[in-house]
Amino acid sequence: MNAERPRIPKAERMAPTDNELMEDVRDGRVEKLAVLFERYQTMLYNFFLRLTGNRAASEDLVQEVFIRILKYRSGYLSESRFNVWLFQIARNAHIDYLRKQKPALPLDEKHAETPGREPLPEAAYEADREAELVRRALDRLPVNKREILVLFRFQNLKLREIAELTGVQVGTVKAQVHRALKDLSRVYLELQRGDLS
Amino acid sequence: MTCEKIQEKYADYLTGDLDEAGRAEVQAHILGCQACREDLENLTVVWAKLGVLPEEQPGGAVRARFYALLEDEKRKAAAAAVPQARSRLADWLTFRRPAFAASFSVLLLLLGLGAGWFLSAGRPGRESYAALSREVQDMRQQVALSLLNDPSASERIQGVGYTAEVKDPSDTTLAALFKAVDADPNPNVRLAAVDALYLFRDRPGVRQNLVRSLSVQSYPLVQVALIDFLVEVREARAVEALKKLIEAGELTPDVKKRAEQGLRQIAL
Ligand SMILES: [Zn+2]
């Protein structure tokens, strides 16, 4: 009886790649998107959380990404790297979110300090003071620098993938990572000194 | 080598992707250049600090909303595709259901759980493998039963997905699936349960229960799924139920057509 169960053999198959799944979604088997959702929801949520500092907004943005995937699925190319395509959509969703937050705000440089970071409860703050300092330091970076660090450090995108994503040369990305880390280091030390005094 | 050229290598240096020659160049440079040495030390520290940021889990609402979105999309696709007779098994298997989209990820999760159990149990010998397998099966069923009682439809669908991965479900598990087919408030959960029961079609009682279910089913999509099921297994007892259903005259035109067609197919 088991032998003729049609759905069981998938347990023995190799897991399909992101690209295969997305091709299926594009070609009308939208239920395959559930597998991609399970693979990426946490990663996307943390991407947005580190950019916005806002849990509710990050949850909305995760949903927004999947809405857009369905909307733009016919444009998915087989030769795409799925994670690059996904983060392209995620970045655009984030940019649109920022526009809605502060219509007049230019996206690049200077301002862009994140509003609305939810304060941690006192106990958690004490227990996790260092993480909180890092978080606050990240929040103080301009959004483009924060984004590059989040992509590189947390989303584990390769330098060439970030270059593809942001449309610049790999060498430029290397320099951007360097500058962003340098800034973060400076802000972190400032915060730490401020904290200690 | 200039300071700028060295700094270009830092990103790869930090991730450990720099080759040996590159590392040697960096080392040689910072020996003689204090500014770069301090720079790299600071970067290394802050790079490590970034590692203390914990990854957070999104709330369960994210999953519920996603599955609602997916259901919506599939309904649209199904409406566009005009549901026709699905006599071919292949069609049947790629039917509109959400359960098996979900069940793949559930399967991955289970493999993980199973592996975790395996590790935590030490090194079971060959003789205890059967017991282990039994244990994993029981665990799946427990998880499935508890998910089937969840207030969220997407959780219940996941629960159905779990049962579909059980080799030999208990009567309790089967009863929970029958109940889902008959009475779940969400038609997608009902559909998923019909799908799962297809896997257990040779268990005693499954076909009879679904024949009975046909007479109490109110959702047209689920009615069609039940008819598909009973036609697929050539269930003779369905003939009577189908006739009654058609005579009662409460079916939508599509379902009625499918029922009449089903009658002919079962008779073949
Ligand atoms: Zn130097």
Side-chain angles (χ1 to χ4, degrees):
Chain A
M1 168 182 155
N2 283 356
E4 64 187 49
R5 280 186 186 182
R7 293 189 189 97
I8 295 304
K10 73 186 167 197
E12 286 121 42
R13 284 209 306 262
M14 294 282 287
T17 65
D18 293 344
N19 195 44
E20 287 164 357
L21 289 163
M22 192 55 221
E23 284 174 7
D24 280 352
V25 171
R26 178 195 61 201
D27 298 340
R29 291 180 289 283
V30 290
E31 69 277 4
K32 296 287 179 68
L33 189 60
V35 183
L36 291 169
F37 172 81
E38 298 296 344
R39 282 184 193 172
Y40 281 99
Q41 63 150 335
T42 303
M43 193 188 269
L44 284 169
Y45 175 71
N46 281 278
F47 172 67
F48 290 129
L49 188 59
R50 281 164 185 150
L51 288 182
T52 68
N54 182 317
R55 294 193 178 87
S58 299
E59 294 194 352
D60 289 348
L61 283 164
V62 171
Q63 176 78 352
E64 179 60 27
V65 166
F66 286 95
I67 289 172
R68 290 182 188 207
I69 288 177
L70 285 171
K71 192 165 158 192
Y72 302 130
R73 67 176 188 263
S74 62
Y76 184 77
L77 302 172
S78 297
E79 59 270 27
S80 313
R81 255 194 291 270
F82 176 75
N83 65 341
V84 173
W85 189 73
L86 179 72
F87 276 106
Q88 190 63 65
I89 290 176
R91 291 182 80 217
N92 290 343
H94 177 241
I95 288 169
D96 291 347
Y97 161 82
L98 288 180
R99 287 210 182 101
K100 266 186 255 166
Q101 292 299 108
K102 289 189 178 176
L105 190 73
L107 288 180
D108 49 338
E109 294 295 336
K110 298 179 186 76
H111 317 49
E113 193 164 322
T114 308
R117 163 71 72 190
E118 297 155 37
L120 287 172
E122 198 60 31
Y125 181 85
E126 284 305 322
D128 211 357
R129 198 170 135 277
E130 185 166 279
E132 183 56 21
L133 262 188
V134 175
R135 217 176 263 134
R136 278 167 54 201
L138 257 183
D139 280 356
R140 293 196 181 203
L141 291 188
V143 69
N144 55 348
K145 289 188 175 170
R146 199 182 328 148
E147 186 183 47
I148 219 157
L149 285 184
V150 170
L151 288 170
F152 188 57
R153 182 66 170 95
F154 300 110
Q155 311 304 134
N156 297 320
L157 260 62
K158 305 278 176 223
L159 292 167
R160 62 174 163 73
E161 290 174 332
I162 297 175
E164 193 179 329
L165 191 60
T166 54
V168 300
Q169 300 291 313
V170 175
T172 308
V173 179
K174 288 180 180 173
Q176 286 170 337
V177 167
H178 178 229
R179 275 202 303 276
L181 279 172
K182 231 175 142 156
D183 283 7
L184 182 68
S185 171
R186 182 178 46 74
V187 175
Y188 179 85
L189 291 173
E190 281 170 13
L191 281 174
Q192 197 176 39
R193 272 195 298 276
D195 243 41
L196 293 173
S197 67
Chain B
M1 186 151 284
T2 64
C3 296
E4 207 176 319
K5 280 280 161 207
I6 286 300
Q7 286 163 8
E8 265 201 8
K9 298 182 188 298
Y10 286 174
D12 283 328
Y13 181 89
L14 291 168
T15 55
D17 288 331
L18 196 59
D19 59 27
E20 208 164 319
R23 296 188 78 84
E25 277 175 333
V26 172
Q27 301 290 355
H29 181 90
I30 61 174
L31 272 180
C33 177
Q34 196 189 346
C36 284
R37 185 164 65 238
E38 285 174 3
D39 191 22
L40 185 56
E41 274 168 14
N42 284 335
L43 296 192
T44 308
V45 168
V46 79
W47 182 258
K49 297 247 183 250
L50 281 170
V52 306
L53 274 191
E55 190 176 70
E56 292 193 22
Q57 289 302 314
V62 173
R63 178 178 275 113
R65 283 166 70 193
F66 168 77
Y67 280 100
L69 168 73
L70 194 56
E71 285 316 304
D72 210 46
E73 190 69 24
K74 285 159 75 181
R75 256 195 302 279
K76 276 188 237 158
V82 183
Q84 270 304 323
R86 296 171 184 278
S87 51
R88 285 175 49 234
L89 184 64
D91 275 357
W92 211 93
L93 297 180
T94 55
F95 210 26
R96 56 189 181 271
R97 318 298 164 68
F100 298 98
S103 74
F104 183 78
S105 55
V106 167
L107 185 66
L108 294 180
L109 180 66
L110 281 173
L111 290 175
L113 286 177
W117 197 96
F118 209 96
L119 291 174
S120 68
R123 291 185 180 75
R126 197 180 287 272
E127 66 283 355
S128 65
Y129 184 77
L132 170 63
S133 167
R134 186 69 247 166
E135 198 76 33
V136 172
Q137 296 279 319
D138 288 347
M139 183 178 68
R140 286 179 194 178
Q141 297 198 71
Q142 279 165 21
V143 175
L145 286 170
S146 95
L147 283 174
L148 276 166
N149 283 316
D150 197 278
S152 144
S154 61
E155 295 294 308
R156 296 200 299 282
I157 286 176
Q158 296 265 13
V160 173
Y162 270 67
T163 67
E165 308 297 344
V166 175
K167 278 205 189 70
D168 191 18
S170 68
D171 289 343
T172 316
T173 302
L174 288 179
L177 287 173
F178 295 138
K179 194 178 141 210
V181 173
D182 284 354
D184 196 283
N186 184 308
N188 295 310
V189 180
R190 295 187 184 202
L191 286 172
V194 175
D195 237 5
L197 283 165
Y198 182 78
L199 299 173
F200 312 124
R201 60 193 179 277
D202 294 328
R203 281 281 295 263
V206 168
R207 297 168 187 215
Q208 292 95 311
N209 256 297
L210 291 186
V211 169
R212 182 196 48 73
S213 198
L214 196 52
S215 61
V216 298
Q217 189 53 243
S218 50
Y219 285 104
L221 270 179
V222 187
Q223 288 171 330
V224 170
L226 285 169
I227 296 169
D228 283 346
F229 180 112
L230 295 166
V231 167
E232 193 63 48
V233 301
R234 293 280 186 275
E235 177 52 52
R237 280 163 294 196
V239 169
E240 202 61 28
L242 281 172
K243 280 183 181 162
K244 272 191 190 152
L245 212 53
I246 294 165
E247 280 163 18
E250 285 167 1
L251 298 178
T252 68
D254 280 351
V255 180
K256 183 161 181 259
K257 218 168 114 189
R258 181 70 191 103
E260 287 165 349
Q261 195 180 25
L263 262 182
R264 290 193 296 276
Q265 284 171 314
I266 290 179
L268 282 178

